[in-house]
């Protein structure tokens, strides 16, 4: 009797579920009642009860069984496991966690002879990065030969044969909170593994698909947790629901809150490093980059805005993208889906996934799906269901395959055309090579060398000194990058100082000059000068042997890793001093001159018993030379016991974050201190700032953001600084510093920028172009710096290249002692800024450092740690933390 009741009740639940779905989608409701959830008890059905209301306040966002996502008549192999058979629920019912995604791909690789799976690396959080290689089983043994032949064709520009395969790299969800791509990747992999329809057979018999299911596993997992933890059995589609409004920081970014879709060039993170290694290994004909955008949008696919492509990208790339897009158009026209193209997004910055391939003879394609940002969300186009976003990404993935097969001959021929056109550019270029030089800091030069190596860019380590542009560069501290190579276009972008473009509107930065970012001297080289360059090898500098009974130890501050060495010593309890005057001292290596900012470790104060070993180990770990000083008496400058040798205070750093604060910048500060310096931070949300005991910390850092600091907190911070604390702010945080009178400065506002531009002759249609002119999306500016100031200890030249992403102008009448850096009279060096903006910025404040009681307040107009790779200025934060006691 009870069993009859239970069965009948279960049927009533099924009918209730079906009342909110159309009759032709009734199977979706059956999927909701997945066998693993069907517990035939009187209680279990209540757990799945979904309310059906006529006013549509509640709705069901069911996932769908895999066959409903796939094309009709897919001829599926029943032996291949479906996603729901492994996940325990239909795709789209929940946001897949990365560990579930990995498990499904592993099962597919185990069951399908079409798929091989490779772990290419690991994220910061130690999640595996996967790459599936998918092709017909009979091709498996041919893959090494195919790959080598294809890469050789790309590099040499040789002609391919009709039998040559295409290599298609399918990449998904580089932004973790844009998960439809990663969820769709399971459907793509299953379809290619299980289907025997003609489309799949043709694709896999003669081509290779590389499938990267999640570019950003850490972010994907963070967002999946957020979306799933807010999902009810009855979904809320209200955009104001917490599910659709992520907390700080959101899931877009990786572990350190970096945007991985800006890291394809400088490769700061392991996810990017692993991906680029595979790109360079395979050199795919097409690389896809599946994203999401605002919920009220529809669907975008490239080409982007025609006038906003990178000038080094050939027109042939655009024509091929247009040809591929015919298949995208057909796929969405057939489904009556809304879409757009050639607007909103550009193809300029080579550090993004859809544009990086364009500089190297491949076709990169961006796809943007309107986001559900959860399971179901209302939009101007109706409810956006997670399952539908997955469907669209899957549909477009198949359209990529269709377009590639239709244009196979053109895609196969394109690398040769790209090579030949590039050779013509090389021939017409007066520049034959670029020279990179850094005499005092081997780390930054080696880092530039490493970046070139990751992109398979050829370079020469000169055997002898080289001459270029009437300058001589010493061997051992120099790299030469010839332009006569297939990567010519990518190299030109990495050394570009272009300031004006056909269209001065940018979705992202307008410059990414490698030597300017790394603060390296660089110049061009003629063909005649290049002929004289002979290949040598980069010599490793020998570290001095340290004497255990030395009077003390000292090291220069020029080396990028010197702050890490000092932090290591401070963490071990070592007493260190900052040399605020230059001096020369006798060492076991002879007399050595030490410049301003050098660090002295005297043995004659309380030190750990194993001081010599601690110093030697730290020197070895950071590869920074440390010298053993034999006497406290110096031949030049202050003696080692002088009051000019300022004791270093071991930093304990508080970084303010939370709602309103730029998570990218907080992440960049955290990443720099954690990975480059080895310094822990305490991160607190600004809402908790009033409950923090400030005296427990030596430094408080405010990244760019909107701050609401109450009178109590403001007074506490002021008193803390006066008692010896160091307060640091950057970019828009300086508005707070101005308001609280922590720094004597003035901050421009939007009205100040508006007044610089004449609108009298403009029309309504000119609004967007004018708004773009008012921005500084990312350009390089030159600042004149005072290298005798503690903030600039370790810098060699009186000028520094700063990356600017703000049109805010900071002015101050403070003395040069408090303003150690101002922008030059002609500050723009590379990238675009409107002339009136550059003129307004000329002479304005770049860096301030103002004493306040026994402490000091430091302000940076720009972001010293920009994206983790602007090494030329990132040392400023290290100096502000480690050398702040010298600012008096």
């Amino acid at each position: 009797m009870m069993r009859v009741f239970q069965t009948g009740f279960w049927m009533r639940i099924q009918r209730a579920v079906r009342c909110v779905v159309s009759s032709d989608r009734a199977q979706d409701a059956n999927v909701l009642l997945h066998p693993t959830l069907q517990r035939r008890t009187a209680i279990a059905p209540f757990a799945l009860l979904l309310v059906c209301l006529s006013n549509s306040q509640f709705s069901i966002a069911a996932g769908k069984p895999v066959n409903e996502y796939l094309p009709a008549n897919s001829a599926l192999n029943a032996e291949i496991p479906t996603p729901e058979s492994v996940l325990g629920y239909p795709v789209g019912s929940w946001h897949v966690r990365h560990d579930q995604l990995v498990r499904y791909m592993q099962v597919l690789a185990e069951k399908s002879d079409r798929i091989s799976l490779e772990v290419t690396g690991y994220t910061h959080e130690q999640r595996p990065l996967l790459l599936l290689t998918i092709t017909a089983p009979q091709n498996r043994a041919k893959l090494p030969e195919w790959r080598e032949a294809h890469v050789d064709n790309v590099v040499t520009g040789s002609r391919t044969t009709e039998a040559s395969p295409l290599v298609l790299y399918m990449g998904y969800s580089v932004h973790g909170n844009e998960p439809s791509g990663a969820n769709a990747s399971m459907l793509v992999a299953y379809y290619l593994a299980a289907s025997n329809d003609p489309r799949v057979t043709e694709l896999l018999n003669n081509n290779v698909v590389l499938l990267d299911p999640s570019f950003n596993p850490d972010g994907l997992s963070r967002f999946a947790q957020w979306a799933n933890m807010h999902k009810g059995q009855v979904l809320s589609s209200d955009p104001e629901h917490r599910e659709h409004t992520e907390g700080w920081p959101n899931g877009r970014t990786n572990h350190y809150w970096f945007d991985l879709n800006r890291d394809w060039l400088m490769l700061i993170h392991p996810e990017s490093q692993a991906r680029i290694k595979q790109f360079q290994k395979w050199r795919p004909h097409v690389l896809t980059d599946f994203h999401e955008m605002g919920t009220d949008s529809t669907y975008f696919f490239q080409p982007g805005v025609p006038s906003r492509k990178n000038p080094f990208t050939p027109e042939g790339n655009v024509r091929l993208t247009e040809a591929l897009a015919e298949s995208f158009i057909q796929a969405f026209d057939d489904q009556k889906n809304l879409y757009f193209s050639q607007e909103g997004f550009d193809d300029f910055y080579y550090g993004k996934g859809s544009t990086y391939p364009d500089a190297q003879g491949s076709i990169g394609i961006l796809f943007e799906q309107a986001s559900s940002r959860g399971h179901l969300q209302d939009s101007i186009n109706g409810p956006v269901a997670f399952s539908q976003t997955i469907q669209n990404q899957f549909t477009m993935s198949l359209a990529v395959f269709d377009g590639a097969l239709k244009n196979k001959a053109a895609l196969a021929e394109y690398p040769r055309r790209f090579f030949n056109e590039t050779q013509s550019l090389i021939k017409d270029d007066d520049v034959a090579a670029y020279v990179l030089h850094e005499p005092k800091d081997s780390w930054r030069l080696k880092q530039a060398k490493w970046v070139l190596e990751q992109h398979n860019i050829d370079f020469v380590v000169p055997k002898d000194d080289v001459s270029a542009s009437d300058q001589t560069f010493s061997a051992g501290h120099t790299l030469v990058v010839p332009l006569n190579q297939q990567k010519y276009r990518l190299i030109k972008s990495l050394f570009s100082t272009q300031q004006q473009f056909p269209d001065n509107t940018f979705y992202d930065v307008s410059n990414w000059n490698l030597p300017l970012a790394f603060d390296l001297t660089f110049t061009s080289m003629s063909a005649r000068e290049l002929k004289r360059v002979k290949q040598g090898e980069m010599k490793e500098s020998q570290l001095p042997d340290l004497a255990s009974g030395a009077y003390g130890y000292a090291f220069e501050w020029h080396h990028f890793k010197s702050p890490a060495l000092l932090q290591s010593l401070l963490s071990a309890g070592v007493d260190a001093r900052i040399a605020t005057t230059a001096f020369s001292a006798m060492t076991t290596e002879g007399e050595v001159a030490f410049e301003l900012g050098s660090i002295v470790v005297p043995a004659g104060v309380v030190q750990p018993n194993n001081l010599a070993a601690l110093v030697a180990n730290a020197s070895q770990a950071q590869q920074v030379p440390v010298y053993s000083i034999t006497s406290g008496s110096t031949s030049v400058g202050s003696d080692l016991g002088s009051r000019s040798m300022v004791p270093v205070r071991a930093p304990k750093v508080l970084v303010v974050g939370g709602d309103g604060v730029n998570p990218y910048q907080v992440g960049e500060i955290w990443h720099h201190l954690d990975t480059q310096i080895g310094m822990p931070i305490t991160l607190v949300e600004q809402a908790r700032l009033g409950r923090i005991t400030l005296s427990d910390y030596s430094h408080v850092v405010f990244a760019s953001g909107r701050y609401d600091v109450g009178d109590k907190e403001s007074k506490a911070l002021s008193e803390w600084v006066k008692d010896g604390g160091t307060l640091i702010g950057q970019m828009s945080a300086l508005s707070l510093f101005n308001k609280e009178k922590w720094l004597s400065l003035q901050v421009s506002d939007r009205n100040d920028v508006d007044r610089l531009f004449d609108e009298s002759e403009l029309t309504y249609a000119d609004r967007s172009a004018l708004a773009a002119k008012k921005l500084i999306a990312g350009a390089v500016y030159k600042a004149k710096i005072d290298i005798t100031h503690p903030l600039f200890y370790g810098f060699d030249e009186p000028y520094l290249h700063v990356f600017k992403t703000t049109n805010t102008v900071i002015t101050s009448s403070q003395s040069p002692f408090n303003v150690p850096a101002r922008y030059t009279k002609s500050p723009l060096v590379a990238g675009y800024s409107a002339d009136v903006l550059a003129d307004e910025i000329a002479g304005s404040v770049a860096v301030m450092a103002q004493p306040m009681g026994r402490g000091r307040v430091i302000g940076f107009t720009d972001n010293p740690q920009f994206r983790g790779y602007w090494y030329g200025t990132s040392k400023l934060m290290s100096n502000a933390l480690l050398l702040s006691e010298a600012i008096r």
Side-chain angles (χ1 to χ4, degrees):
M1 180 71 178
M2 179 61 74
R3 183 173 179 82
V4 172
F5 168 79
Q6 291 171 352
T7 301
F9 187 81
W10 190 257
M11 292 175 65
R12 289 195 294 274
I13 293 294
Q14 289 179 312
R15 286 196 295 271
V17 170
R18 292 193 183 100
C19 77
V20 294
V21 294
S22 60
S23 59
D24 63 331
R25 297 297 297 279
Q27 188 174 358
D28 292 1
N30 283 325
V31 173
L32 279 177
L33 309 177
H34 189 271
T36 61
L37 303 177
Q38 295 179 12
R39 301 292 182 262
R40 301 303 182 91
T41 70
I43 298 175
F46 289 101
L48 294 175
L49 180 60
L50 302 175
V51 181
C52 175
L53 297 177
S54 59
N55 62 6
S56 299
Q57 288 180 334
F58 301 96
S59 58
I60 298 173
K64 301 190 296 184
V66 68
N67 60 295
E68 292 197 17
Y69 284 104
L70 270 53
N73 304 315
S74 291
L76 299 173
N77 180 353
E79 298 298 316
I80 303 300
T82 63
E84 56 258 42
S85 71
V86 176
L87 299 176
Y89 58 83
V91 172
S93 300
W94 297 90
H95 284 250
V96 70
R97 301 191 313 267
H98 187 258
D99 62 295
Q100 296 172 310
L101 181 64
V102 169
R103 181 56 190 150
Y104 180 64
M105 296 306 182
Q106 290 172 336
V107 170
L108 270 189
E110 292 167 3
K111 299 297 184 180
S112 173
D113 56 3
R114 300 176 182 178
I115 295 179
S116 62
L117 184 148
E118 176 184 0
V119 175
T120 62
Y122 291 88
T123 70
H124 288 293
E125 296 176 13
Q126 294 304 296
R127 291 186 173 91
L129 298 159
L130 303 185
L131 187 69
L132 282 68
T133 303
I134 309 175
T135 191
Q138 65 269 22
N139 298 334
R140 189 65 53 192
K142 305 175 189 175
L143 285 177
E145 178 185 346
W146 278 4
R147 185 186 65 79
E148 291 173 10
H150 168 61
V151 172
D152 183 69
N153 290 338
V154 171
V155 173
T156 63
S158 55
R159 191 181 297 274
T160 61
T161 66
E162 290 185 6
S164 297
L166 292 180
V167 180
L168 308 177
Y169 194 124
M170 309 295 290
Y172 299 90
S173 297
V174 72
H175 296 141
N177 62 358
E178 299 174 7
S180 57
N183 282 263
S185 74
M186 293 185 291
L187 302 174
V188 176
Y190 171 73
Y191 179 60
L192 296 183
S195 176
N196 292 303
D197 68 16
R199 170 195 258 164
V200 173
T201 301
E202 180 185 3
L203 175 69
L204 298 187
N205 276 353
N206 303 293
N207 306 285
V208 181
V209 175
L210 304 174
L211 191 147
D212 192 328
S214 172
F215 281 155
N216 180 7
D218 294 348
L220 181 75
S221 297
R222 189 160 66 246
F223 182 70
Q225 172 68 15
W226 178 271
N228 290 336
M229 69 185 279
H230 292 100
K231 178 192 175 185
Q233 293 180 26
V234 180
L235 301 183
S236 173
S237 61
D238 186 345
E240 298 302 323
H241 179 45
R242 193 167 188 258
E243 177 183 9
H244 311 307
T245 308
E246 291 176 80
W248 187 96
N250 61 34
R252 175 184 177 90
T253 52
N254 77 339
H255 173 76
Y256 283 105
W257 310 338
F258 277 63
D259 186 337
L260 289 178
N261 200 38
R262 306 296 186 268
D263 193 39
W264 289 66
L265 277 179
M266 299 307 176
L267 309 179
I268 299 301
H269 299 281
E271 300 92 334
S272 307
Q273 295 164 17
R275 185 187 331 118
I276 294 306
K277 183 176 181 180
Q278 295 304 316
F279 178 91
Q280 295 299 336
K281 176 181 176 180
W282 283 96
R283 300 299 296 275
H285 293 86
V286 175
L287 182 144
T288 64
D289 191 16
F290 284 86
H291 288 252
E292 293 180 12
M293 54 184 168
T295 305
D296 283 335
S297 297
T298 58
Y299 197 100
F300 168 85
F301 51 78
Q302 286 181 321
V305 179
S307 63
R308 287 165 54 189
K309 76 174 183 66
N310 193 290
F312 292 112
T313 299
E315 285 297 322
N317 178 287
V318 180
R319 302 288 84 78
L320 257 178
T321 305
E322 290 173 341
L324 292 168
E326 291 300 318
S327 293
F328 312 156
I329 292 169
Q330 185 64 57
F332 268 22
D333 281 352
D334 289 346
Q335 297 186 2
K336 305 298 187 292
N337 284 348
L338 296 177
Y339 60 87
F340 65 98
S341 188
Q342 299 192 40
E343 64 176 87
F345 299 91
D346 64 23
D347 298 284
F348 188 83
Y349 175 42
Y350 283 151
K352 296 191 300 181
S354 60
T355 317
Y356 174 78
D358 296 346
Q360 301 173 73
S362 300
I363 307 295
I365 308 177
L366 172 68
F367 298 95
E368 295 271 358
Q369 161 67 47
S371 180
S372 64
R373 279 295 192 275
H375 293 86
L376 185 70
Q377 186 174 173
D378 293 333
S379 79
I380 61 173
N381 300 306
V384 179
F386 183 42
S387 58
Q388 187 58 48
T389 68
I390 296 170
Q391 178 70 71
N392 290 348
Q393 302 287 39
F394 174 72
T395 298
M396 203 53 76
S397 296
L398 300 197
V400 171
F401 300 147
D402 292 343
L405 292 179
K406 290 176 184 177
N407 295 278
K408 182 170 182 177
L411 285 171
E413 173 65 13
Y414 179 68
R416 190 176 76 88
R417 288 176 49 203
F418 181 92
F419 181 89
N420 291 336
E421 291 174 8
T422 301
Q423 285 297 308
S424 296
L425 294 177
I426 294 171
K427 183 179 179 181
D428 293 340
D429 199 329
D430 293 334
V431 176
Y434 290 108
V435 179
L436 291 167
H437 180 70
E438 171 50 50
K440 293 185 177 181
D441 180 11
S442 61
W443 188 90
R444 282 181 284 121
L445 188 65
K446 287 179 181 177
Q447 194 66 16
K449 174 177 174 286
W450 179 86
V451 170
L452 297 175
E453 289 170 340
Q454 303 316 297
H455 298 293
N456 286 353
I457 293 174
D458 296 333
F459 58 87
V460 177
V461 177
K463 180 180 179 181
D464 305 306
D465 293 354
V466 297
S467 297
S469 303
D470 298 322
Q471 302 176 69
T472 300
F473 302 96
S474 58
H477 305 286
T478 301
L479 298 175
V480 175
V481 185
L483 290 180
N484 189 7
Q485 53 181 299
Q486 198 268 351
K487 300 293 178 68
Y488 168 86
R489 298 171 193 260
L490 185 62
I491 297 168
K492 292 293 287 188
S493 80
L494 286 168
F495 288 82
S496 173
T497 56
Q498 187 172 349
Q499 297 180 11
Q500 291 290 330
F501 303 87
D503 188 332
N504 289 316
T505 303
F506 301 93
Y507 184 80
D508 199 76
V509 298
S510 61
N511 187 267
W512 48 95
N513 184 293
L514 174 69
L516 294 181
F518 289 20
D519 194 25
L520 303 173
T521 299
F522 83 105
T523 191
S524 59
M525 177 177 271
S526 68
R528 177 177 55 82
E529 292 167 332
L530 179 60
K531 287 181 180 179
R532 301 173 184 159
V533 177
K534 304 299 180 184
Q535 179 70 51
E537 59 183 28
M538 187 168 284
K539 298 178 181 178
E540 295 291 335
S541 57
Q542 294 295 317
L543 299 177
D545 294 327
L546 291 187
S548 59
Y551 181 90
Y553 306 95
F555 56 93
E556 282 272 13
W557 200 247
H558 291 287
H559 200 289
F560 186 83
K561 300 301 287 187
S562 291
L565 193 159
L566 176 57
Q567 173 62 24
S568 176
L569 297 177
L570 295 174
S571 298
V574 172
D575 185 325
R577 310 295 170 95
I578 308 163
T580 60
T581 60
F583 68 95
S584 294
M586 186 58 65
T587 76
T588 55
E589 305 291 321
E591 189 169 43
V592 176
F594 294 92
E595 296 187 29
L596 286 166
S598 294
I599 301 299
V600 175
V601 179
V605 297
V606 177
Q607 298 283 18
N609 293 331
N610 56 340
L611 177 63
L614 287 172
V615 174
N617 291 339
S619 171
Q620 186 66 40
Q622 304 302 333
Q623 288 295 293
V624 176
V626 178
Y627 295 89
S628 302
I629 297 177
T630 59
S631 172
S633 177
T634 62
S635 59
V636 176
S638 300
D639 292 334
L640 299 195
S642 167
R643 284 176 293 183
S644 67
M645 299 288 177
V646 177
V648 181
R649 181 183 180 188
K652 188 171 182 184
V653 182
L654 182 76
V655 178
V656 182
D659 288 345
V661 183
N662 187 318
Y664 297 122
Q665 289 195 21
V666 173
E668 288 159 357
I669 294 167
W670 175 28
H671 177 265
H672 173 71
L673 298 180
D674 189 33
T675 67
Q676 294 290 2
I677 310 302
M679 182 184 296
I681 67 168
T682 298
L683 176 63
V684 298
E685 301 203 5
Q686 62 168 314
R688 294 184 56 238
L689 191 57
R691 299 195 292 272
I692 300 299
T693 303
L694 293 175
S695 58
D696 290 342
Y697 302 93
S698 62
H699 297 73
V700 175
V701 182
F702 285 82
S704 188
R706 300 184 309 277
Y707 292 95
D708 183 16
V709 176
D711 292 341
K712 179 182 176 182
E713 289 82 3
S714 173
K715 182 178 179 181
L717 281 164
S718 297
E719 293 303 317
W720 169 80
V721 174
K722 292 175 183 177
D723 286 342
T726 300
L727 186 62
I728 303 169
Q730 59 188 47
M731 294 187 70
S732 62
L734 297 188
S735 293
L736 172 68
F737 283 34
N738 174 51
K739 174 177 173 289
E740 302 297 340
K741 296 182 171 52
W742 292 332
L743 283 175
S744 301
L745 50 77
Q746 295 79 46
V747 182
S748 68
D749 59 23
R750 181 177 298 179
N751 293 329
D752 295 322
V753 174
D754 289 343
R755 283 190 286 270
L756 298 175
F757 293 85
D758 182 8
E759 302 177 4
S760 59
E761 300 298 323
L762 300 182
T763 67
Y764 189 77
D766 296 320
R767 290 175 306 147
S768 295
L770 176 62
K773 285 183 179 180
K774 293 179 180 180
L775 298 176
I776 299 180
V780 185
Y781 275 63
K782 180 187 283 189
K784 184 177 181 181
I785 64 174
D786 178 1
I787 59 176
T788 71
H789 192 281
L791 281 178
F792 292 98
Y793 285 169
F795 289 83
D796 303 332
E797 303 294 335
Y799 295 97
L800 182 63
H801 294 106
V802 177
F803 200 80
K804 179 171 281 294
T805 59
T806 176
N807 57 16
T808 300
V809 180
I810 306 296
T811 56
S812 177
S813 59
Q814 287 283 303
S815 75
F817 309 132
N818 295 341
V819 186
R822 289 183 181 272
Y823 296 104
T824 60
K825 293 181 179 179
S826 299
L828 182 62
V829 174
Y832 172 74
S833 291
D835 291 341
V836 290
L837 278 175
D839 291 344
E840 190 74 5
I841 291 168
S844 67
V845 173
V847 177
M848 280 194 73
Q850 193 170 318
M852 183 174 173
R854 292 189 292 112
R856 72 284 308 154
V857 181
I858 298 169
F860 300 118
T861 300
D862 298 289
N863 175 11
Q865 296 79 225
F866 180 74
R867 291 182 180 168
Y869 74 82
W870 208 266
Y871 300 123
T873 56
S874 60
K875 197 170 187 175
L876 289 175
M877 183 60 73
S878 304
N879 287 7
L881 297 175
L882 290 163
L883 307 184
S884 56
E885 291 299 310
I887 302 173
R888 299 176 172 178

